[in-house]
Amino acid sequence: MSISFKRSQAWIERARHIMPGGVNSPVRAFRAVGGTPPMIRRAQGAYLWDEDGNRYIDYVGSWGPMILGHAHPEVVAAIQAAAADGTSYGAPTVREVLMAEKIRDFFPSMEMVRLVSSGTEATMSAIRLARAATKRDRLIKFSGCYHGHGDSFLIAAGSGATTFGVPNSPGVTAGTAADTLLAEYNDLAGIERLFSEYPDSIAAIIIEPIPGNMGLIQPEPGFLEGLREITLRHGALLIFDEVMTGFRVAPGGVTELFGIRPDLITLGKIIGGGLPVGAYGGRADLMQQVAPVGPVYQAGTLSGNPLATAAGLTTLEHLTPALYARLEDTCKQLEDGLRAGLSAIGRDLYLTRYGSMLCLFFSETPVRNYTEARHCDTAAFARYFHAMLERGVYLPAAQFEAFFVSAAHTHDDIQHTLQAHQEALAIAFSA
Ligand SMILES: *Cc1c(COP(=O)(O)O)cnc(C)c1O
């Protein structure tokens, strides 16, 4: 089987002359799996179409935001109506208030909220606030967790950074790196050691409470609760980065799923409904330290942008219990089918799922942290990936990313995906 990528190929070659790697975000270049990334022309519901006219069932969903599916008619209408009223004012608007209140409905521990324009901005702002509030400089992050491309986070970061094996990006100063302490996910003893080694200087722990950027990893029982207890004991803040997991693993994210109250939460992806938005928020006494009420400076020309809040608010309004029930039904069918496909060929690959996020690790042993994630058979994953692509199934182009299912995916789409899965597994393991 072979489909044509002729037009995509020509455009990517042209793009490489004007943009690094021909892309504006590294994972899109397909470096981890090889080959030519299809140039996407349009999307609707669960599908993408490329410049060569190929159609794909999409399990990337723009890396998380598109939980309602692409070009949802009401989201599109909301953006169009907003655009007709002007695209940016740099002044307060009603939709920003409604959106912040809506976010607090899902995440009650976000007593106050600040909207920004990306997940990266949300995490950078949250740690600035944490440092200001605690008057401490150091930060603990976990190997393989990704918090956007802020300097403090590009220390053993996941996502593209994991895939490309450049966990410590050049350009990050030694001083910044020294303030970021690294821990292994699921290792509470390691956290205790860091706090005894650096008493009174750790401002916060930032974590993807369920990591989705080194594959999708499960917290072991007591791990997240333990982080809450240790940070309280040491006067450090706990920051849940739910940019990916918010509204995904449960309506109220990991925070709801585990009933833990972090001090600060960062959001992005779904809250923008496909437009650029991020948010951070949490304890009111902390958020009151943000300018203009408090001294911690943080601003944005396009923050709370009218188009972004129109798309975001409309998306959040559609996230009903009925929608989550339907998503769960589709995702369960996908999970069961993927497992059945593995059994059929006698392979016991490790598969994880939370809500509408899922990961198929090319590893026969459980993956509990970044060290174990790196033992996956990425060559077999690449063969599987391309076999799926040729069969019209668009998966994340790297082992260390999660699959995202949308409310637009139908049982027929899943059936088609599972048929492709069976054939792709045979190809992945034939080499
Ligand atoms: C995607 C992501 C970010 C960064 O968000 P951007 O909008 O790409 O800047 C931060 N944290 C997590 C957990 C993410 O998945």
Side-chain angles (χ1 to χ4, degrees), residues 19 21 57 61 65 69 150 152 176 195 208 229 252 267 273 305 311 332 380-381:
M19 301 186 294
I57 303 173
S152 299
T176 299
F195 273 102
E208 292 181 74
E229 189 274 316
L267 297 173
N305 172 265
K332 183 82 174 69
F381 174 83

Side-chain angles (χ1 to χ4, degrees), residues 106-183:
F106 284 92
F107 288 84
S109 57
M110 294 176 82
E111 296 166 354
M112 295 187 83
V113 178
R114 168 63 58 87
L115 297 181
V116 292
S117 297
S118 68
T120 295
E121 267 188 85
T123 55
M124 283 168 43
S125 308
I127 59 159
R128 180 181 304 139
L129 175 55
R131 284 170 165 155
T134 57
K135 301 187 174 63
R136 298 173 177 183
D137 288 345
R138 292 202 167 93
L139 179 75
I140 295 179
K141 86 170 277 286
F142 294 87
S143 298
C145 280
Y146 181 68
H147 304 292
H149 65 89
D151 282 0
S152 299
F153 306 120
L154 287 180
I155 320 288
S159 194
T162 297
T163 297
F164 306 130
V166 282
N168 298 284
S169 172
V172 174
T173 66
T176 299
D179 278 337
T180 301
L181 307 173
L182 274 180

Side-chain angles (χ1 to χ4, degrees), residues 208-290:
E208 292 181 74
I210 293 177
N213 283 293
M214 48 174 153
L216 180 63
I217 299 207
Q218 301 186 339
E220 284 175 357
F223 176 63
L224 295 175
E225 292 83 352
L227 295 180
R228 180 65 285 188
E229 189 274 316
I230 294 171
T231 44
L232 282 173
R233 176 152 42 87
H234 289 276
L237 301 184
L238 180 62
I239 306 172
F240 273 8
D241 180 358
E242 296 230 45
V243 169
M244 185 181 278
T245 50
F247 314 93
R248 261 297 163 192
V249 302
V254 184
T255 307
E256 174 190 307
L257 211 54
F258 283 79
I260 292 172
R261 209 175 165 92
D263 301 291
L264 293 170
I265 293 174
T266 55
L267 297 173
K269 300 197 165 114
I270 287 176
I271 58 165
L275 269 77
V277 188
Y280 66 103
R283 277 168 41 197
D285 64 303
L286 294 173
M287 293 305 290
Q288 297 277 11
Q289 300 187 35
V290 176

Side-chain angles (χ1 to χ4, degrees), residues 143 184 214 369-375:
S143 298
E184 190 85 278
M214 48 174 153
N369 55 40
Y370 185 52
T371 308
E372 292 179 356
R374 285 196 295 184
H375 292 140

